[in-house]
Amino acid sequence: MTEKKKLSRNKILKELYFQDSLSCADLSFKIDKSFPVTAKLLEDLLEHNLVVESGYAVSTGGRRPLIYTLQQDVMYLVSVAMDQYVTKIAIMDMQNNFVSPIEKIVLPLPDNPAALQVLIEKIQMVMDASGISKEKFVGVGIGMPGFVDVKKGVNYTFLQLPDNKSITRYIAGKIKVPVFIDNDSSLVALAELRFGAARESSNAMVINIAWGIGLGLILNGELFRGHEGFAGEFSHIPLFLNGKLCSCGKTGCLETETSLQLIVEKAREGVKAGRTSRLSSLKGDDLEQDCDAIIEAVKNGDQFAIELFSKAGYNIGKGVAVLIHLLNPKIIILSGRGSSAGQIWQAPIQQALNEHCIYRLYESTSVEISTLGNQAELFGAAALVMENYEHIPAIKIHPFSKHEEQVKVGE
Amino acid sequence: MTEKKKLSRNKILKELYFQDSLSCADLSFKIDKSFPVTAKLLEDLLEHNLVVESGYAVSTGGRRPLIYTLQQDVMYLVSVAMDQYVTKIAIMDMQNNFVSPIEKIVLPLPDNPAALQVLIEKIQMVMDASGISKEKFVGVGIGMPGFVDVKKGVNYTFLQLPDNKSITRYIAGKIKVPVFIDNDSSLVALAELRFGAARESSNAMVINIAWGIGLGLILNGELFRGHEGFAGEFSHIPLFLNGKLCSCGKTGCLETETSLQLIVEKAREGVKAGRTSRLSSLKGDDLEQDCDAIIEAVKNGDQFAIELFSKAGYNIGKGVAVLIHLLNPKIIILSGRGSSAGQIWQAPIQQALNEHCIYRLYESTSVEISTLGNQAELFGAAALVMENYEHIPAIKIHPFSKHEEQVKVGE
DNA sequence: AAAACTTTTTTAATTATTAAAGAAGTTGTT
DNA sequence: AACAACTTCTTTAATAATTAAAAAAGTTTT
């Protein structure tokens, strides 16, 4: 089979992963090949048991199309979602199911030279524990905070190797499976684009409400990364004149007025100061636990918790107003950990838009809460692998040599 | 000739317009067709006298390529650049030369129901006066302020027809030549992308320093317009807490702290208040004249004028910091009328970036002053026509499924 | 219930692409 | 300086893909 045919074949598998079941006509359109060629490729895939016919679709006025689906149990993905403190590792099948328990490990990234080694060991461990044979793994997708260069496979903030060598190549060399990395917020956006609220929108802003406020931009139907891959630095746009020092060294960043970290801090302060609230029993040492507790309090109508979220929401809204002016998106999606607080975000954000946005611009922009919630990054990491799947055959790792070959992934 | 062949043929003409002279190999690559097909199309274009061979290019280590150029005197463009007060109309050839004097007319757009009729008459007049036969005009490109829907051909702010009917179709119906419209700042960006400083950059932010502060976004090598075509509303992002009322009805917009209009107003106030300066003889009734006078004063080292531009520049820089954070561009281009003030902008903008931008993000972003200056919009309007040249006959429809009929015009 | 229309699939005809060969230059070596 | 070795562009022949036509399987209309 020629290299070109392989590309088309992989494109079919990729489309079937994202769409679950498609007809030959649909696939022909999506992979931009003629019907006869697509049919021939499908025939081959059926023979090799990678694809199965799964009945007929309902007729739309003519002959019913044969529907194709990915064969189960032949391909698996490893998805890894990291934040500054905790890392989750999961194994997923082609139908987007978790096939092993999600492994959650405490792995602080700042000032931790051992982090990369630990990560590799844990990934290896989860893969081994799954009992799935190595050749069935398509690849590993990893989402991580920091300035990530997707093409080079480098994170300039965490998990660095000497001379900024590619960590994707490094990890792939160890576990013998292709590896892809991306910024955490970008992967949340990718998840929303492929499986979530942005599915029908070619222009969407996905806000990743987490310890910081991340942003993934969906422009013209695809994830936008910018010149060096750093686009979406929403957290640090200079929007306030509050003089508050930010972690980045500047003042007035969006992050200084809104983030889950800030909410937890403020909640702890409030409790210490004797504020009446359901939150009075906050642990005060575990960020994740406290955050979950506050979100739970919001849902139970706790006034203090609601006040904190409303203020944070209003400030996110001020940032969203900027996004709407600059990029005229169809939809704003609130995703990531914080989105599990639900509809509480709507009112304050809408209020900020009323005050700071030109009506003509935001009247046709909707604000929605993600249904993927806390698991968005894991879905996104899996999607990242399949996003690159068509190029994977170009990756070759020598089984006996430690010297990695030139790897060309995407563009 | 089939429809598909026509598309490729037109693509060749388009590429030759933007690149002036190209080899068959270059064209084959650019129009995404094989060498034999491209060669055959070129043969046909030579026969029909639309293209000429213009000698050989220097060898790059092998056989010298034959170079093709557009035939002169067979195709012309009408380009129209409007602002709120003044409209310029020009006729250009395929080599980007003005072939008739630029017609400048005073045509206020706000609250002027007659504006559209006047515009059509003047375009007609300029075309007639040129003595060029009608069938040689490829199309009319018009840049205008306001919320412009490029696809529908509607401006929601000015020049409206009843029921928001398409003004492009309306004008085209009258003058019998295809018409295209776009937002003024988008066309300035297009000009920079095709003929100016953004030529080598697939990610550029083009700031249109005019009576307001416009923005055209070049993302992934093409002009980005957003969901409804309104992207780039830079002027009204809420960046200040100054309480100053903006023309849009809100307060704190970027426009309230920087624009040529503001500079002229401040200069007039300063002069009235007796500020010592070369500007003391400002007319005070003609915005354009006064603006030119102040820019002249800047170049002659007038302290007051420089102070005004420095402050305005710093505030533009604050906005640019937001752009860099969100979109990680390779280059920021200062264009439009105000760019003729030259290097004066550099220092205050760089200062604002130092203060408000994460170093990692702006260290590799350059800020440049346009060389197209005041004529950028006219070049952009001409480019707009050729940008659409190939698409006029080409509409792609899903050949199999009724539901997914997609009209794809440009991407 | 049959004719007329849709849509998918198969096949045959057409067209474009890739690979191979040739032409025109440049570069490097003896 | 001469000639082999390498580039790059152009032409041609072989191969592969696309489009058009025909057939198959439904749905809708009369």
Side-chain angles (χ1 to χ4, degrees), chain A residues 32 60 203 219 224 226-233 236-237 250 323 325-328 330 355-356 361 364, chain B residues 203 219 224 226-233 236-237 250 323 325-328 330 355-356 361 364 396 403:
Chain A
D32 210 38
T60 54
N203 284 91
L219 305 178
F224 178 80
H227 169 47
E228 296 157 298
F230 303 154
E233 248 327 313
H236 299 287
I237 59 173
K250 300 179 290 120
L323 295 180
H325 277 107
L326 292 178
L327 295 161
N328 184 214
K330 186 182 171 203
E355 289 176 20
H356 299 294
L361 280 167
S364 57
Chain B
N203 285 90
L219 304 178
F224 178 80
H227 170 45
E228 297 158 296
F230 303 155
E233 249 326 314
H236 299 286
I237 60 173
K250 303 179 289 121
L323 295 178
H325 277 107
L326 293 177
L327 295 160
N328 184 213
K330 187 182 170 201
E355 288 175 21
H356 299 293
L361 280 166
S364 56
K396 194 181 175 185
H403 323 294

Side-chain angles (χ1 to χ4, degrees), chain A residues 166-292:
Chain A
S166 162
I167 62 171
T168 52
R169 254 180 264 171
Y170 181 76
I171 303 173
K174 299 253 174 182
I175 60 178
K176 313 294 182 199
V177 168
V179 175
F180 303 91
I181 64 171
D182 207 334
N183 174 267
D184 50 357
S185 294
S186 290
L187 289 191
V188 169
L190 188 61
E192 296 295 344
L193 172 66
R194 294 307 186 184
F195 311 116
R199 245 184 155 167
E200 304 298 311
S201 311
S202 52
N203 284 91
M205 304 284 113
V206 181
I207 315 284
N208 181 22
I209 306 177
W211 306 132
I213 303 294
L215 170 67
L217 306 108
I218 308 290
L219 305 178
N220 292 332
E222 54 186 63
L223 195 55
F224 178 80
R225 290 193 170 90
H227 169 47
E228 296 157 298
F230 303 154
E233 248 327 313
F234 196 42
S235 238
H236 299 287
I237 59 173
L239 225 52
F240 298 94
L241 281 166
N242 55 16
K244 285 187 200 165
L245 190 68
C246 177
S247 63
C248 74
K250 300 179 290 120
T251 64
C253 299
L254 181 64
E255 193 174 284
T256 63
E257 293 287 348
T258 183
S259 82
L260 290 185
Q261 179 135 20
L262 190 79
I263 286 176
V264 173
E265 278 165 18
K266 277 191 176 171
R268 284 171 181 172
E269 278 168 30
V271 168
K272 255 191 197 161
R275 179 91 202 230
T276 348
S277 156
R278 279 169 181 270
L279 296 174
S280 39
S281 60
L282 273 189
K283 292 234 169 183
D285 56 346
D286 188 322
L287 202 61
E288 215 179 352
Q289 249 179 305
D290 283 2
C291 181
D292 290 346

Side-chain angles (χ1 to χ4, degrees), chain A residues 80-83 141-145 180-184 187 377 381 384:
Chain A
V80 182
M82 311 179 82
D83 72 19
I142 313 177
M144 45 181 71
F180 303 91
I181 64 171
D182 207 334
N183 174 267
D184 50 357
L187 289 191
E377 194 183 341
L384 177 67

Side-chain angles (χ1 to χ4, degrees), chain A residues 144-158:
Chain A
M144 45 181 71
F147 287 119
V148 176
D149 187 316
V150 175
K151 285 183 226 156
K152 289 186 187 154
V154 174
N155 186 330
Y156 293 104
T157 317
F158 305 115

Side-chain angles (χ1 to χ4, degrees), chain A residues 59-80:
Chain A
S59 166
T60 54
R63 181 168 170 172
R64 295 176 307 187
L66 244 174
I67 290 297
Y68 299 87
T69 317
L70 286 180
Q71 177 69 272
Q72 293 195 316
D73 305 326
V74 297
M75 287 161 88
Y76 293 91
L77 301 165
V78 183
S79 75
V80 182

